[in-house]
Amino acid sequence: MQNEQWLRREKMSSLVHKKFHSDNDWVASAIDQRTGENVSVRSIQAWLIHPNRRSSRNCPEWVIKALEDYLKDPKNEELIRVRRDRHEESFHKMKTPLEISDQIQSSMSVDIVTRQIEEEACNHTKWQEEFS
């Protein structure tokens, strides 16, 4: 079971980063379009984060299927092509410091949030020990 969950996490990561260009909003929209399920960006982040982290969650199989079906659907070909071209174009153009900062924050958002959660939990534990 553990191995299956790890494989799903890896598959999810591959889809998000390679096919959806790390755009978690687009991933959430694609899942909603295929399933009618309103999935939050935070859920996507939790499915991607390393399993030993506190905020990690197991990615359901239906999410992978929804994303694969979305990518195979001929109705989405044009949007996928446009987004891919836009991503490649933005990758090759010179970026301003603000664009670089936004890109770093977006790509590291899972780690940033996880560190914040872990720090809050540590502080909470210390606070409880102090006043117990």
Side-chain angles (χ1 to χ4, degrees):
M1 186 67 156
Q2 199 89 16
N3 194 26
E4 183 180 315
Q5 293 167 355
W6 181 263
L7 290 173
R8 255 189 270 144
R9 178 174 273 106
E10 290 299 308
K11 181 69 174 176
M12 178 71 172
S13 179
S14 178
L15 287 168
V16 169
H17 298 300
K18 292 178 182 174
K19 300 296 185 179
F20 289 89
H21 314 296
S22 302
D23 186 340
N24 290 342
D25 289 317
W26 183 19
V27 172
S29 175
I31 294 168
D32 182 36
Q33 181 182 328
R34 294 303 299 186
T35 67
E37 293 288 329
N38 186 8
V39 174
S40 70
V41 168
R42 184 65 194 110
S43 291
I44 294 163
Q45 293 169 341
W47 294 330
L48 293 172
I49 201 162
H50 194 277
N52 70 354
R53 303 305 285 254
R54 175 176 280 215
S55 58
S56 177
R57 300 291 179 266
N58 291 324
C59 180
E61 181 64 37
W62 61 265
V63 170
I64 304 295
K65 180 167 178 9
L67 293 176
E68 289 174 335
D69 290 349
Y70 176 90
L71 292 168
K72 291 176 190 172
D73 191 335
K75 293 185 299 187
N76 299 320
E77 282 179 8
E78 179 66 15
L79 177 61
I80 292 167
R81 186 192 60 74
V82 167
R83 285 182 176 256
R84 183 196 63 230
D85 292 350
R86 189 179 311 145
H87 175 74
E88 289 174 0
E89 180 182 307
S90 72
F91 182 77
H92 295 294
K93 80 172 195 173
M94 184 67 94
K95 292 186 174 23
T96 67
L98 185 58
E99 288 172 321
I100 293 169
S101 173
D102 287 346
Q103 185 176 6
I104 290 170
Q105 183 172 351
S106 175
S107 68
M108 297 187 68
S109 62
V110 172
D111 287 331
I112 292 168
V113 170
T114 299
R115 285 190 192 111
Q116 288 172 342
I117 290 169
E118 290 173 348
E119 184 178 336
E120 288 172 11
C122 182
N123 288 338
H124 181 73
T125 301
K126 286 179 183 177
W127 182 83
Q128 284 180 325
E129 289 170 356
E130 181 90 17
F131 295 99
S132 295

